[in-house]
Amino acid sequence: MTVLAETLLDRVAGIIPRYSMLEPGDRVGVAVSGGADSVVLLHLLHRLAPRLETTLALLHVNHQLRGAESDADEEFVRRLGAALGLAVLVTPGAVKGDGNLEQEARQIRREFFQRCRAEHGLGRIALGHTRSDQAETVLFRLLRGSGLAGLAGMRPVTEDGLIRPLLTTSREEVRQWAAAEGLSWREDGSNANRQFARNRLRGEFLPSLSREFNANLEGVLAGTAELAQAEEDYWTHEVEPVYREITKRNAVGSILQVQTLRALHIAVQRRVIRRALREVKGDLRSVDFAHIEAILKICCSAHGHDRVIVPGVDALRSFDQLLLTRPGELSTAPRNYQVDLELGIEQQLPFGNGSIFVNCPNFGGENCVNFKKDPDATAEVADLDADRLSQCGESRYGGAAGLIARNWEPGDELQRPGHKGAEKIKSLFQEHRVALWERRHWPVVVAGQEIVWVRRFGSAAKFTASPESRRVIRLVHRRSGE
């Protein structure tokens, strides 16, 4: 098949407005490795630049993986930029090699591209991915167990400013165009290294499948990506309001209501979980279908609490709530706090635990500061016997036995009014289905060595005011945001 110079040029000129890749006046960074695909992309965009009213700059990362060959690639790109009269931005990008080499190198390039956008005013970054690359990506993700979202492959335009004008062009067509134009490029010897899974896919499996099953396999796989992209765009729009309705964010992550989630169609459940993972993790790299299913499985567990860790996210279900947070977030956050409570002053509690206001409701009495009328119905109110509070011994925290708000601690007990004996607060958590992550900073008010009040469970019987109480102190707790 012979590809005429204008044929490929016109195709790229057509795909750019089709996907709104560029606007007049854009300054575009072209990622050039030195290989045929990126060199052809650069020449095509350079020819189209006057028509598109854009200016170009070359971007190159020297990963230093092949020694002198890598340095020769960099020099080739510098000469190419000079020949075309374009600015060349180069950075070293050595990889540590202690993980997935290709993925680490890709991340280094992405970070460099975003720095160039910010520092050099580049509106878009053009990448030389072809339809052949798209087909390999789809098949690779399918073999890894990716869900439908993974089969969407690479997008022509991404939210972070990447564009792929060659995504409808095969690798063979690119090389034919380069040969017809007399262009030179660099061959990366590592592309023949069958140690890398993608190279085996490209050099062995895809050609074999094409011969045995479908000569147009590349087109079929690329078409699958296009269909999946349209499906995902639709579902993203549909899932967003559902996600917002059943999810809330707190200081450590995203919390979903399990029963509401389980009432949704399974297709929506999976997409809601993906949306939540992206919110917490920042992306969906390394997350596949099995990870989504593992999270949905703990939502159906018969246990009161269950947990699973997927790449970059710790999923913890407690009763009817599912928390998605970064691994280690719960255990590394500080726990202990104490706040001195003073009459007439509303004290904010740390870790988003709301506020506590203590006051004397006896109007006209000594040291009385009127609380702003009646507290909201959503606030917790406890009237305490001031005389009994004054009889408490010295505080375990030093000084007088004033009221102190602190976090719950293992072993804490509360004897509520009408109950014969004290109960472990831990048991009350279980009885009232308090989520595990909420317990860590749960507010408790103490006087001396004794617990006076516990959020949600009220005041201790000993300190609860009665009609016979001569002096009363009112404690009002408000949740954050009230």
Side-chain angles (χ1 to χ4, degrees), residues 106-325:
R106 189 180 304 114
Q107 183 62 26
I108 290 172
R109 291 195 296 273
R110 291 292 180 89
E111 291 172 357
F112 173 59
F113 297 157
Q114 296 309 315
R115 287 201 308 273
C116 288
R117 289 188 70 196
E119 296 172 6
H120 300 278
L122 304 179
R124 299 286 193 180
I125 306 295
L127 306 180
H129 293 123
T130 65
R131 187 182 71 181
S132 306
D133 296 311
Q134 181 76 298
E136 293 164 9
T137 298
V138 172
L139 183 56
F140 187 66
R141 291 183 179 179
L142 178 64
L143 294 174
R144 283 183 50 198
S146 173
L148 291 178
L151 298 185
M154 298 179 289
R155 290 182 173 268
V157 181
T158 69
E159 294 179 355
D160 54 354
L162 305 181
I163 61 173
R164 297 182 170 94
L166 296 179
L167 207 55
T168 61
T169 303
S170 72
R171 188 177 295 120
E172 179 185 358
E173 290 174 309
V174 167
R175 278 157 177 73
Q176 288 179 356
W177 193 86
E181 291 295 307
L183 303 180
S184 61
W185 64 86
R186 298 277 299 173
E187 287 292 353
D188 185 346
S190 66
N191 287 337
N193 186 348
R194 298 304 168 87
Q195 174 186 352
F196 299 110
R198 186 176 284 271
N199 288 347
R200 296 196 300 275
L201 205 63
R202 176 183 302 166
E204 298 176 18
F205 301 123
L206 265 171
S208 176
L209 290 171
S210 297
R211 287 192 304 269
E212 298 293 331
F213 295 98
N214 189 337
N216 187 36
L217 181 60
E218 180 179 297
V220 170
L221 292 170
T224 298
E226 190 170 355
L227 289 172
Q229 286 173 13
E231 295 290 322
E232 288 307 306
D233 289 343
Y234 169 80
W235 277 108
T236 296
H237 181 269
E238 293 295 308
V239 164
E240 189 63 23
V242 180
Y243 170 77
R244 294 295 177 190
E245 181 180 346
I246 70 172
T247 309
K248 65 178 181 179
R249 291 283 291 172
N250 68 5
V252 295
S254 294
I255 299 175
L256 293 83
Q257 301 304 313
V258 171
Q259 294 303 321
T260 308
L261 176 68
R262 291 180 59 186
L264 302 172
H265 189 283
I266 185 61
V268 181
Q269 291 182 38
R270 289 168 177 152
R271 286 172 169 81
V272 167
I273 293 297
R274 284 179 59 85
R275 174 66 180 84
L277 289 173
R278 188 170 71 248
E279 180 92 25
V280 174
K281 187 174 181 284
D283 57 57
L284 292 171
R285 293 191 185 98
S286 302
V287 175
D288 58 31
F289 177 75
H291 299 130
I292 304 297
E293 293 303 286
I295 294 175
L296 290 176
K297 183 178 180 180
I298 69 170
C299 292
C300 301
S301 171
H303 303 291
H305 315 291
D306 213 337
R307 189 177 203 163
V308 64
I309 296 180
V310 302
V313 176
D314 184 358
L316 176 63
R317 183 185 63 78
S318 184
F319 301 117
D320 294 330
Q321 298 185 73
L322 173 69
L323 171 68
L324 301 179
T325 185

Side-chain angles (χ1 to χ4, degrees), residues 407-421:
N407 54 280
W408 164 77
E409 298 175 353
D412 282 347
E413 295 182 339
L414 176 71
Q415 182 172 353
R416 296 179 289 172
H419 291 253
K420 294 182 179 180

Side-chain angles (χ1 to χ4, degrees), residues 287-449:
V287 175
D288 58 31
F289 177 75
H291 299 130
I292 304 297
E293 293 303 286
I295 294 175
L296 290 176
K297 183 178 180 180
I298 69 170
C299 292
C300 301
S301 171
H303 303 291
H305 315 291
D306 213 337
R307 189 177 203 163
V308 64
I309 296 180
V310 302
V313 176
D314 184 358
L316 176 63
R317 183 185 63 78
S318 184
F319 301 117
D320 294 330
Q321 298 185 73
L322 173 69
L323 171 68
L324 301 179
T325 185
R326 289 185 173 273
E329 187 74 31
L330 295 175
S331 59
T332 57
R335 172 175 180 170
N336 297 322
Y337 67 87
Q338 63 179 70
V339 177
D340 293 328
L341 302 178
E342 300 180 37
L343 284 176
I345 298 178
E346 187 169 5
Q347 299 282 11
Q348 294 295 323
L349 302 180
F351 308 110
N353 278 288
S355 65
I356 291 181
F357 182 90
V358 289
N359 194 23
C360 172
N362 299 326
F363 302 113
E366 188 178 356
N367 294 327
C368 292
V369 180
N370 291 342
F371 186 66
K372 32 188 176 181
K373 297 191 177 180
D374 292 330
D376 296 344
T378 53
E380 293 185 44
V381 180
D383 286 340
L384 307 172
D385 190 306
D387 291 326
R388 291 188 176 180
L389 289 173
S390 66
Q391 297 170 6
C392 291
E394 183 176 304
S395 170
R396 60 182 284 192
Y397 305 100
L403 293 178
I404 291 175
R406 62 163 172 83
N407 54 280
W408 164 77
E409 298 175 353
D412 282 347
E413 295 182 339
L414 176 71
Q415 182 172 353
R416 296 179 289 172
H419 291 253
K420 294 182 179 180
E423 301 166 276
K424 295 282 188 183
I425 295 178
K426 182 178 180 179
S427 299
L428 294 175
F429 286 153
Q430 195 71 15
E431 178 185 344
H432 291 267
R433 302 174 71 82
V434 176
L436 292 174
W437 53 86
E438 294 182 357
R439 303 177 187 185
R440 188 177 182 86
H441 303 120
W442 197 264
V444 170
V445 173
V446 298
Q449 303 287 335

